[in-house]
Amino acid sequence: MSTTTSPGPTPSGGGLRHGLMLVVALAFLTAIGLVLPHGDSGETFRDALLAHALFRQIVIALWAIVIVEGLLGLFVSKDDWPARLKRLLVTSLLPPLRMVIATSKPHGWLWLPGAGWKPAGEETSEKLEQKLALPMVILTLLVLPVLGAELTGGETLENHPRMALATHLTTCVIWVGFTVEFLWMVAAAPSKLTYCLKNWINLVIILLPLVAFLRILSAFRFARMFRAGKLLRAYRLRGLWTRLWRLALLFNLLERLQKRDPAKYCAVLEKKIADLEEDLAELRTKLAEQRGKTLADVSTDPEGIKEGSQGQG
């Protein structure tokens, strides 16, 4: 039977604050996703966002909210100060991690929207994976129309800005969804490293656009130093990142569809039945023990039971 060892007493309160900070962290992650290169489309839109002062101000404001809330949370947590400061450093450097980490959040506990506080471990990880399975399959299926638009449209996407924008926004939604799932699953997993190694393809899908974005920034920064041939090779390298990202998404889609295999689903149901039967056996054992104690009390003091019954009469 899969169990989760409680890391301590269940935390109380903080639901509203963690819910609001979840929205802030998700908004920051979405802003990052909008400017990442997920494919061949959306370059004009991304350049316009990066050049817009309001967009930069929004990102800075969201970042500041995460840092300020983290500083205030230092005085709410009951952990040791090194642990609090470590969580503050992590969330300040990577604000999207505020979805699963907070200075005021006790170690070993997760606040899940709609479920409240849950202890990190195998049981929470399994339940979270089951709830996210179908939505993530649907989200991954969005890669098919995206690939269709990019492969069939080709260079004509540049002449159809609305189609290019829709393609870019769809790939942004896919990337944000994969990142959110990965963060929650890593936070709930009993072994973080084991989960990362097992789901390395998800990590590739998340990191490839980030690596490509850093290379694009580098190319712009040193564009004056590049000759035409080097710029051409940089453009071809960007195409290589794009193809790798598409391949990783298709591989992930196939993997997720295989997980929906009926035989595996039956195995999951059988495991649940076995767990319930084990719980039922434990309850029956406790009931038998309680009945034995009751019979033992009656046999050792029958007169007292009889007198009590007469007095009530």
Side-chain angles (χ1 to χ4, degrees), residues 50-66:
L50 288 172
H52 205 291
L54 179 60
F55 176 79
R56 297 196 298 268
Q57 292 171 1
I58 291 175
V59 172
I60 293 173
L62 293 173
W63 204 328
I65 292 174
V66 173

Side-chain angles (χ1 to χ4, degrees), residues 253-305:
L253 175 61
L254 294 175
E255 185 180 16
R256 290 182 185 273
L257 292 177
Q258 289 175 356
K259 287 183 178 180
R260 304 295 295 178
D261 182 78
K264 186 171 183 178
Y265 185 64
C266 290
V268 172
L269 293 179
E270 290 175 356
K271 184 177 182 299
K272 288 185 178 180
I273 293 174
D275 292 344
L276 292 174
E277 289 178 345
E278 187 174 344
D279 291 338
L280 184 60
E282 291 179 1
L283 291 175
R284 286 174 175 168
T285 301
K286 291 180 181 179
L287 179 60
E289 292 176 354
Q290 190 63 35
R291 285 177 174 172
K293 292 179 181 180
T294 303
L295 293 176
D297 293 339
V298 172
S299 62
T300 55
D301 190 15
E303 295 297 331
I305 299 294

Side-chain angles (χ1 to χ4, degrees), residues 4 7 10-11 108-112 114-121 124 127 131 188:
T4 301
T10 304
W109 287 94
L110 285 175
W111 185 87
L112 300 176
W117 292 102
K118 296 294 180 182
T124 301
K127 290 181 179 179
K131 289 183 178 181

Side-chain angles (χ1 to χ4, degrees), residues 1-212:
M1 181 175 63
S2 62
T3 57
T4 301
T5 303
S6 177
T10 304
S12 59
L16 178 60
R17 183 177 76 254
H18 291 299
L20 291 175
M21 293 309 300
L22 172 62
V23 174
V24 171
L26 187 59
F28 188 94
L29 183 66
T30 303
I32 298 301
L34 287 172
V35 297
L36 290 182
H38 308 289
D40 296 333
S41 59
E43 186 173 355
T44 303
F45 175 75
R46 291 188 290 106
D47 293 343
L49 272 183
L50 288 172
H52 205 291
L54 179 60
F55 176 79
R56 297 196 298 268
Q57 292 171 1
I58 291 175
V59 172
I60 293 173
L62 293 173
W63 204 328
I65 292 174
V66 173
I67 295 176
V68 171
E69 191 269 343
L71 289 172
L72 296 176
L74 288 174
F75 305 97
V76 178
S77 177
K78 297 180 180 180
D79 289 357
D80 295 333
W81 274 97
R84 305 183 206 181
L85 294 173
K86 179 180 178 180
R87 294 198 294 269
L88 174 63
L89 178 62
V90 170
T91 54
S92 298
L93 293 177
L94 300 171
L97 290 180
R98 178 55 186 84
M99 284 185 282
V100 294
I101 300 176
T103 54
S104 59
K105 186 180 296 184
H107 177 71
W109 287 94
L110 285 175
W111 185 87
L112 300 176
W117 292 102
K118 296 294 180 182
E122 184 179 355
E123 183 177 349
T124 301
S125 179
E126 289 179 356
K127 290 181 179 179
L128 193 58
E129 184 177 12
Q130 292 170 10
K131 289 183 178 181
L132 293 176
L134 183 58
M136 287 305 299
V137 168
I138 297 175
L139 182 68
T140 312
L141 285 173
L142 290 177
V143 71
L144 297 179
V146 168
L147 293 180
E150 290 187 344
L151 295 177
T152 59
E155 297 179 356
T156 59
L157 275 180
E158 299 179 0
N159 302 323
H160 296 80
R162 291 185 179 180
M163 182 181 294
L165 178 59
T167 302
H168 176 70
L169 294 179
T170 304
T171 54
C172 173
V173 169
I174 295 173
W175 183 82
V176 170
F178 270 87
T179 306
V180 171
E181 182 212 27
F182 190 82
L183 291 179
W184 281 111
M185 290 303 302
V186 168
S191 174
K192 320 298 183 188
L193 180 60
T194 301
Y195 180 83
C196 291
L197 293 176
K198 183 180 178 181
N199 298 272
W200 62 270
I201 192 68
N202 295 28
L203 196 57
V204 169
I205 292 172
I206 296 170
L207 294 181
L208 269 179
L210 291 171
V211 174

